[in-house]
Amino acid sequence: MAQGQNLLEKIQAVIPFVMPTLGGLAGVIIVNLNPRELLNPMYWVGGGIVLGFVAARLMLKAMNRWM
């Protein structure tokens, strides 16, 4: 059981870094898929990072509630 607990701690340590990165990547993808709409990348990438941060916080709260 100790090994499973160690895996959860590793996942909890990585989530705050991975989720904002994935959110920013999603913003980059949205901007690149719509080249003719002249989307401002600062809004989309920044918004994706903020949403990724919020998702990471919610995931960590949910994980702490179940542990």
Side-chain angles (χ1 to χ4, degrees):
M1 195 57 117
Q3 198 168 21
Q5 187 73 6
N6 192 16
L7 177 64
L8 284 176
E9 290 174 3
K10 288 179 182 178
I11 291 172
Q12 283 183 336
V14 171
I15 285 176
F17 299 104
V18 171
M19 293 305 291
T21 304
L22 291 177
L25 178 64
V28 169
I29 290 170
I30 289 171
V31 169
N32 286 332
L33 286 178
N34 301 309
R36 298 197 186 261
E37 294 182 20
L38 297 174
L39 301 174
N40 189 349
M42 294 301 287
Y43 293 138
W44 288 93
V45 175
I49 292 171
V50 169
L51 289 176
F53 176 76
V54 170
R57 296 299 298 165
L58 292 174
M59 288 173 69
L60 289 175
K61 278 189 177 185
M63 288 178 76
N64 285 334
R65 193 172 285 174
W66 289 334
M67 288 178 43

